Structures are given as structure tokens and as C-alpha cells.
């Protein structure tokens, strides 16, 4: 019923736009182009006077570099000091996309940003960890750009924070999602088709000279490893949430969320509560409850990295540092040797006294410096 008359195509990449009703409620829209483009698209939910929207961005392919970017590797500083584990914190929605709405008008984008900021502050004080915010204000970031930003920041873990909604106000509880195997497989296929990203996908290994079978084997290894690691951290976070809020389901769930599709980065999506449930909406608006949710998420991440610290990180050093007690050694001499406090040494090993036994092994925490 609409008309596109009056549009000017003198500038830009479009030559013309045409459309036709194909029947069965199908509308076909064709963009005639002046040159090759690289398209991106995303969906926006209804907001204010707008209905459902499909946003299509077209980028001039001729203006983009045709050379593959050098793979980004996480390296320790030149001093040889180990690096911090990087936690990417993603507050869902934002800007024109408010997310789910509670009955009191609470917007998902606002409460999840609050939880994300609390989590940022907690991680910032955690030894051996460094937080980065994917969104730190009320603005929109596409799902793909969130994933891309986490990769550019060289994140070791991606945590996306949301608040669920359902047509029934009785639905309640937290959930933790990881990417389904089917979603990961489709993402692998897309990455293999994109030669620019091949080397980044498999940790710097150039796939250009590999046959198709070897490519699939290498990429499948990355996919399986990432899903396995994602499940470990998701299960740990779920255990942390159990002490703060009811769980919607007592197990890690899997879905094809776009923000979880980052090969090589363990990624989880936390549905903190049902904002459509009046009681949980009230809790989500409470700053103290937001802090408790952030503490539970951090506790899960902390437990995961204690067991699975990335190589060449301060947390890996903490796990590997041990000292076997020899004759004549005391807690104070061992503390001085490793430049840690006696109190820290006691806490790391849960010692009730300073009495040591020859042959026992002590865990050495990170230094106080």
C-alpha cells in the first residue's frame, strides 16, 4: 500500500529500491546497488511510536581492507609480569531498545546496566582480574558489535546480563545460558566462509594453506572446547545464584543467542530474574539486591578461574605457586621468601596455627605488592 516515490539515489550505495507482494503474506524488498557492499542487519523491538524494525546497514566493500588482520594474541607486559584475566561485562539492550518492561514500568536496559556496573566494581577489586564494560551508558550496540568488542578487548570470559519476561506474571527465577551446539556449528560455518577471521578463530593458525578437512577439524576443536568451558563457568555461576534468588531451572540451558557466538571466548548469558514477575521486578529495582546478584556472578567466575586459569596470567601463577616445607622453615621465613604476608599465607592454606610439618605443601598466594 505504500509508495517509495520521491526518494533520491544520487548519493550513496543504492541505485533503486523496489518491492512486490509475493502472496502468502510475503513482501519482497530488493535493494539495487551501485557497487559491492558488506551488509549487516539487526532487529529492534517495538518502542514508543515505532513497531518492530529491521535495520540494514550497508558498508562500501571497496573501502575496506582486503588483507586479513594480524591475529591478536594476549601477551604479558615486556617486564615478563603475568597479565590479569579479562572479564567482558555486557549489559543487554540499551538506547532505543529498552528490552523487557515490568508492570511498574521498569526497563530491562536500566536494571541490567545497574547490575553490570556493580559487577564491574567487584571484579575491579578482585586480585588477578580486570573488568571491561561492553556498554556503560544508555545507548544501543548491535549484538555483533558486542561480540566484536569482546574479541578486540581480548576477553577471557564474556558475561551478558539480562532480565527475562514471560506472558504469565508467575514465571520466576534466574537462568544461565550457553550457546547450543547447533548454534555453534552454524557460527563455525560462517567463520570458515570469512577468510579475514580464520586465523583469529583458531588462535593465530593460518588456515589458508590447510585443506577443508583439516580446517573443519581445527575449528571443531575450538568450538567444542569453548562450549565445554562455557558450560563449566555457567554451572559455577548458577551455583552462586542459587543462594541469592530462586532458579528458573536447576541446570545450565542452551540457546542460539547471538552474543554467545564468539569462538574461542567462553560466553554465558545470565537471566537474572523475570522482570514480568511483580515481586522479582521489585527486587531488580533494589540496589542491594543488584549487588547480591553481581556478587553471585563473580563468585561463579572466581571459582571457574581458580580451577581453569588462562596461561600466563596472575591467576595461573597463583595456582602453580607451591612450596614444600623443609626442616627449619617457619611461616614467617616462607612469607618473606615469597613477599606475602603471614595472614595471607594462613588464609590461602586455611591454617589454624603457625605449626608446620616437614614435607607438607603450602599454596603461595599472589604477592602483596
Amino acid at each position: 500500500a505504500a509508495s517509495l516515490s520521491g526518494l533520491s539515489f544520487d548519493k550513496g550505495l543504492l541505485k533503486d529500491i523496489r518491492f512486490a507482494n509475493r502472496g502468502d503474506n510475503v513482501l519482497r524488498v530488493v535493494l539495487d546497488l551501485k557497487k559491492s557492499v558488506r551488509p549487516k542487519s539487526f532487529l529492534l523491538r517495538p518502542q514508543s511510536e515505532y513497531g518492530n524494525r529491521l535495520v540494514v546497514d550497508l558498508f562500501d566493500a571497496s573501502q575496506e581492507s582486503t588483507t586479513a588482520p594480524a591475529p591478536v594474541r594476549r601477551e604479558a607486559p615486556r617486564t615478563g609480569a603475568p597479565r590479569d584475566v579479562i572479564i567482558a561485562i555486557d549489559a543487554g539492550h540499551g538506547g532505543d531498545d529498552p528490552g523487557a518492561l515490568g508492570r511498574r514500568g521498569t526497563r530491562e536496559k536500566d536494571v541490567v546496566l545497574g547490575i553490570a556496573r556493580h559487577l564491574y566494581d567487584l571484579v575491579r577489586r578482585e586480585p588477578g582480574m580486570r573488568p571491561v564494560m561492553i556498554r556503560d551508558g544508555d545507548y544501543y550496540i548491535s549484538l555483533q558489535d558486542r561480540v566484536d568488542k569482546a574479541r578486540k578487548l581480548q576477553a577471557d570470559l564474556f558475561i551478558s546480563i539480562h532480565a527475562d519476561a514471560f506472558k504469565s506474571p508467575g514465571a520466576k527465577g534466574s537462568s544461565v545460558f550457553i550457546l547450543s551446539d547447533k548454534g555453534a556449528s552454524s557460527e563455525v560455518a560462517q567463520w570458515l566462509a570469512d577468510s579475514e577471521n580464520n586465523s583469529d578463530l583458531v588462535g593465530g593458525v593460518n588456515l589458508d594453506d590447510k585443506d577443508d578437512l583439516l580446517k573443519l577439524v581445527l575449528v571443531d576443536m575450538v568450538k567444542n572446547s569453548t562450549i565445554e568451558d562455557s558450560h563449566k563457568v555457567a554451572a559455577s555461576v548458577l551455583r552462586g545464584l542459587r543462594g541469592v534468588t530462586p532458579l528458573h531451572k536447576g541446570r545450565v540451558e542452551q540457546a542460539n543467542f547471538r552474543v554467545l557466538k564468539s569462538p574461542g571466548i567462553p560466553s554465558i548469558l545470565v537471566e537474572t530474574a523475570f522482570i514480568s514477575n511483580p515481586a522479582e521486578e521489585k527486587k531488580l529495582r533494589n540496589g542491594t539486591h543488584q549487588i547480591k546478584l553481581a556478587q553471585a556472578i563473580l563468585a561463579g567466575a572466581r571459582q571457574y578461574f581458580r580451577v581453569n586459569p588462562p596461561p600466563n596470567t596472575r591467576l595461573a601463577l597463583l595456582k602453580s605457586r607451591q612450596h614444600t616445607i623443609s626442616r627449619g622453615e617457619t611461616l614467617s621465613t616462607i612469607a618473606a621468601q615469597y613477599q606475602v604476608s603471614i595472614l595471607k599465607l594462613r588464609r590461602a592454606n586455611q591454617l589454624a596455627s603457625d605449626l608446620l610439618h616437614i614435607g607438607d605443601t603450602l599454596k603461595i598466594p599472589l604477592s602483596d605488592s
Side-chain angles (χ1 to χ4, degrees), residues 186-202:
S186 63
E187 187 67 7
V188 163
Q190 180 61 46
W191 275 77
L192 279 175
D194 184 357
S195 60
E196 286 189 353
N197 293 314
N198 275 340
S199 61
D200 193 27
L201 175 61
V202 291

Side-chain angles (χ1 to χ4, degrees), residues 13-14 31 33 37-40 56-60:
L13 301 171
L14 291 179
L31 306 180
L33 304 169
V37 302
R38 179 175 61 84
K40 279 189 176 182
V56 180
D57 291 327
L58 303 178
F59 300 92
D60 189 343

Side-chain angles (χ1 to χ4, degrees), residues 71 73 197-210 214 218:
R73 295 182 177 85
N197 293 314
N198 275 340
S199 61
D200 193 27
L201 175 61
V202 291
V205 177
N206 189 346
L207 298 183
D208 292 340
D209 59 346
K210 307 295 188 296
L214 182 54
L218 290 172

Side-chain angles (χ1 to χ4, degrees), residues 86-244:
I86 299 175
I87 310 293
I89 304 170
D90 172 45
H93 308 282
D96 288 340
D97 177 14
L101 298 176
R103 293 197 169 191
R104 296 178 59 186
T106 309
R107 300 181 299 187
E108 180 182 2
K109 68 173 184 178
D110 297 328
V111 295
V112 298
L113 181 59
I115 297 169
R117 285 173 170 167
H118 289 307
L119 181 57
Y120 177 93
D121 289 338
L122 291 171
V123 174
R124 187 167 51 86
R125 297 196 292 268
E126 189 75 10
M129 292 187 183
R130 179 166 71 86
V132 292
M133 290 286 282
I134 300 297
R135 174 175 76 87
D136 194 20
D138 187 16
Y139 48 85
Y140 180 80
I141 303 179
S142 74
L143 301 180
Q144 183 59 52
D145 286 343
R146 294 170 193 257
V147 173
D148 292 343
K149 185 173 182 179
R151 294 186 67 81
K152 290 176 181 176
L153 292 168
Q154 306 174 48
D156 296 286
L157 174 63
F158 180 89
I159 302 174
S160 190
I161 302 175
H162 291 257
D164 215 341
F166 192 64
K167 57 185 178 182
S168 168
K172 65 179 181 179
S174 298
S175 304
V176 183
F177 287 84
I178 65 171
L179 183 63
S180 72
D181 186 68
K182 181 179 179 182
S185 297
S186 63
E187 187 67 7
V188 163
Q190 180 61 46
W191 275 77
L192 279 175
D194 184 357
S195 60
E196 286 189 353
N197 293 314
N198 275 340
S199 61
D200 193 27
L201 175 61
V202 291
V205 177
N206 189 346
L207 298 183
D208 292 340
D209 59 346
K210 307 295 188 296
D211 61 47
D212 290 343
L213 179 59
L214 182 54
K215 286 181 182 179
L216 286 173
V217 170
L218 290 172
V219 175
D220 200 53
M221 287 172 60
V222 173
K223 179 200 75 173
N224 292 337
S225 176
T226 303
I227 289 182
E228 182 180 351
D229 288 340
S230 298
H231 192 279
K232 288 177 182 177
V233 68
S236 186
V237 169
L238 200 62
R239 287 193 294 271
L241 289 169
R242 191 186 300 274
V244 175

